[in-house]
Amino acid sequence: MEKVTQSTERENNYRYNVVRNKKLTYLKRKNMLLAAELMRYTHSVQLDAHTLSLADGLMKSLRSCGGSTLYSYDGSKIELVSFLGCGHRLCNICNWDRQKKIRRKYLKWFDANPCLYILADEEGRGEKAVTASQRMKWLNKGWQELGEVRYNIMHLMLSVPHTVNGWRGRRFYFREITKQFNFMRKKKDWLYWVYGGQFGLETTKNANGYHIHIHALLFVRNAKQNRNQLHRVVLYWWNHLTVDEANERGNFSPEEVAAIRKGNCTLSDEFVATLDPRGATIIHLQNIFVCKATEDGTVYKHHIDVDDWKTEDFIGAVLETISYLFKPKVFAVTDNMFDCEAIIDILPQVYNNRSLYSKFGCLLGERTLNVHDNTLLEDLAEAADLKGEGDEYGGKEFFITNPSNTYSTDSMIRLKKRNTGTVTVPASCTSEAVRMLYESNYQKPTL
Ligand SMILES: [Zn+2]
């Protein structure tokens, strides 16, 4: 019985591996297409030397990314093991890879962290929520433990009031919007409700120009009406923190008041009167729901509760929120058409703003959730998941090739050119092969 389960698991893993290779091949092609379009675009416009060098760097990254991809062959099937990414923020392969890795990290993390610990400092002046991995550090510093708490997960989306000149006279305002978000997170009532989380910046473009939004995954105090209570706190502070003097909106019209109140049934007209018409007035804060069905098959939205923890629905909903942080959708007009003007516009901004996603509060110091942490180990973990009989008996061969040298038939990965398109890696097991891929800077095979 156990053997049957093991072999089904292996089959599923292999199917997943073939899908992963298809995706990598597809994104590699997309990267090449984008590089070619960028090349045409940069030749058709006047760019300053700095932007041009950034554009050259991006094209180089797009072309090289994934070019060295490690595969294994166990005598019957080829498996994708790992690849060398370029690490560029605007790379299709690397964004997909980041998204995938961070999802896997969160999956593991939620598994290990069903609750947080509330600690108080010696004099009882302050309290903080910490994770299991941070708990001992603070106890050793003399903090006292008050108990464990469960938390709710919410998705917050914040934008700023936009005029024809952008916000506060700037077309791009990555740094400014982050600064205001940092201010808000210091407010007492925010700290009461939010234990911590992770956020990212998303850029969209319309006729009015570029819009930069904050997407955040929040770990929120578990209490009745917590969504509405937190919504009120965020609306109040975000409104005041985002006031743009150049915004000419005067008093709220009755429709605007109604629109603001629609977002939260506990808001009164008196509360709305405390808001500044020149600041943001609509914020999106959602509880993460799961869909459930009643006995007669009616599907309804259901709040996440303890029973849903770790269910597929829960994980799907949380991971979708996290994915927002890694979707640079502004650049794609369609699947194979790109907005080169937007890419070139945004390139110096991305270059100047290293931190487009950050953790805060209880997630600070959670190294296992760092986007760039343990790339090699993560890959090894994945390779270990895929470890088949070949590994146990040391019978696998390893080679490096460009994923575009592969294709898939009958749910198998196959090679186009075996002799000229591949470089053999003389490793005896998967982990050694991955290490060699990363360490020895293999020359890319010529295709
Ligand atoms: Zn890349």
Side-chain angles (χ1 to χ4, degrees):
M1 190 63 201
E2 201 182 313
K3 265 200 168 147
V4 175
T5 324
Q6 268 182 10
S7 86
T8 320
E9 201 182 312
R10 257 202 303 276
E11 276 166 30
N12 286 341
N13 280 343
Y14 189 63
R15 243 194 303 273
Y16 170 68
N17 192 267
V18 175
V19 171
R20 194 172 156 235
N21 190 59
K22 268 188 191 165
K23 183 83 182 178
L24 177 63
T25 314
Y26 164 75
L27 293 174
K28 178 72 200 155
R29 202 165 45 234
K30 202 167 170 176
N31 265 6
M32 299 307 277
L33 257 163
L34 175 56
E37 276 200 36
L38 279 172
M39 176 77 118
R40 265 196 298 278
Y41 179 78
T42 50
H43 282 147
S44 69
V45 289
Q46 280 284 339
L47 296 173
D48 62 82
H50 178 58
T51 309
L52 200 58
S53 83
L54 293 176
D56 277 340
L58 171 59
M59 289 185 270
K60 220 170 156 184
S61 297
L62 292 170
R63 288 194 195 105
S64 73
C65 188
S68 296
T69 295
L70 176 71
Y71 292 89
S72 70
Y73 179 62
D74 66 357
S76 68
K77 57 188 188 314
I78 295 170
E79 282 184 45
L80 163 64
V81 182
S82 188
F83 61 87
L84 289 183
C86 68
H88 201 288
R89 287 283 170 74
L90 307 185
C91 166
N92 293 297
I93 295 177
C94 291
N95 272 311
W96 163 69
D97 193 47
R98 269 181 214 119
Q99 208 178 101
K100 205 159 50 73
K101 280 180 178 155
I102 202 81
R103 285 164 75 115
R104 196 161 48 212
K105 285 174 184 192
Y106 267 99
L107 269 183
K108 268 191 208 157
W109 191 88
F110 279 121
D111 210 31
N113 292 275
C115 64
L116 298 170
Y117 299 87
I118 303 293
L119 306 181
D121 74 353
E122 275 171 298
E123 282 94 33
R125 285 172 309 191
E127 277 182 24
K128 65 160 83 201
V130 299
T131 59
S133 74
Q134 303 291 307
R135 187 170 152 245
M136 279 321 289
K137 182 179 93 184
W138 292 101
L139 291 180
N140 288 339
K141 281 185 182 175
W143 286 62
Q144 307 292 318
E145 188 165 318
L146 303 182
E148 302 177 5
V149 281
R150 284 197 169 266
Y151 48 89
N152 290 144
I153 304 282
M154 293 187 199
H155 174 211
L156 174 67
M157 204 271 273
L158 296 171
S159 48
V160 296
H162 215 264
T163 70
V164 279
N165 296 318
W167 178 54
R168 293 184 176 168
R170 287 172 204 268
R171 236 173 121 216
F172 290 103
Y173 40 84
F174 290 103
R175 208 165 279 179
E176 292 72 17
I177 196 174
T178 308
K179 200 166 128 191
Q180 299 310 321
F181 187 53
N182 293 347
F183 275 143
M184 182 166 72
R185 297 202 318 273
K186 292 196 173 79
K187 303 292 180 194
K188 249 189 176 162
D189 37 8
W190 166 279
L191 289 168
Y192 175 81
W193 285 106
V194 183
Y195 296 131
Q198 181 163 19
F199 75 96
L201 298 174
E202 184 204 37
T203 313
T204 57
K205 188 186 171 190
N206 64 14
N208 209 350
Y210 293 98
H211 296 251
I212 298 161
H213 317 271
I214 288 180
H215 281 279
L217 177 77
L218 303 182
F219 291 65
V220 179
R221 181 183 288 266
N222 191 2
K224 235 182 176 174
Q225 289 278 322
N226 54 0
R227 184 267 168 196
N228 284 347
Q229 300 210 55
L230 176 60
H231 179 275
R232 172 196 290 263
V233 168
V234 175
L235 177 56
Y236 180 81
W237 287 119
W238 194 245
N239 169 260
H240 289 282
L241 288 167
T242 56
V243 166
D244 185 347
E245 306 284 343
N247 194 320
E248 285 166 0
R249 180 157 75 158
N251 291 335
F252 296 122
S253 67
E255 291 76 28
E256 283 170 330
V257 173
I260 296 168
R261 290 188 58 181
K262 205 177 156 204
N264 182 347
C265 64
T266 69
L267 300 182
S268 61
D269 282 348
E270 289 71 36
F271 173 81
V272 176
T274 66
L275 301 178
D276 191 320
R278 297 166 305 162
T281 47
I282 304 292
I283 59 155
H284 298 274
L285 178 67
Q286 295 158 320
N287 257 307
I288 289 185
F289 290 102
V290 291
C291 286
K292 286 199 168 183
T294 56
E295 277 180 10
D296 66 2
T298 321
V299 177
Y300 66 97
K301 273 183 163 183
H302 169 84
H303 275 253
I304 293 284
D305 58 34
V306 179
D307 294 337
D308 302 309
W309 201 250
K310 290 194 237 170
T311 60
E312 293 264 315
D313 279 348
F314 166 74
I315 287 163
V318 172
L319 296 189
E320 195 184 315
T321 301
I322 295 163
S323 299
Y324 275 117
L325 315 187
F326 302 94
K327 273 185 194 159
K329 65 179 178 193
V330 67
F331 310 119
V333 179
T334 65
D335 231 17
N336 287 321
M337 259 180 74
F338 307 94
D339 186 343
C340 289
E341 192 189 340
I343 295 174
I344 298 298
D345 262 354
I346 237 160
L347 209 44
Q349 307 298 323
V350 171
Y351 179 77
N352 286 333
N353 295 278
R354 298 255 156 217
S355 181
L356 295 182
Y357 28 77
S358 312
K359 297 189 265 84
F360 55 89
C362 64
L363 292 192
L364 277 177
E366 279 301 289
R367 296 237 305 274
T368 55
L369 290 177
N370 283 359
V371 179
H372 298 293
D373 190 56
N374 287 341
T375 315
L376 180 58
L377 290 179
E378 278 296 316
D379 268 311
L380 285 179
E382 190 160 351
D385 290 343
L386 299 165
K387 194 168 70 176
E389 286 140 354
D391 242 332
E392 288 155 39
Y393 303 109
K396 272 188 182 174
E397 289 171 23
F398 299 93
F399 61 90
I400 290 173
T401 192
N402 190 308
S404 56
N405 187 30
T406 67
Y407 64 101
S408 304
T409 59
D410 307 332
S411 309
M412 294 281 275
I413 301 171
R414 296 192 191 273
L415 274 179
K416 291 179 189 165
K417 295 180 194 170
R418 174 95 218 185
N419 297 330
T420 53
T422 64
V423 170
T424 304
V425 179
S428 58
C429 65
T430 309
S431 53
E432 193 188 350
V434 174
R435 205 167 299 122
M436 288 170 87
L437 169 76
Y438 279 84
E439 284 172 4
S440 49
N441 215 352
Y442 266 86
Q443 263 215 306
K444 260 173 266 135
T446 41
L447 282 174

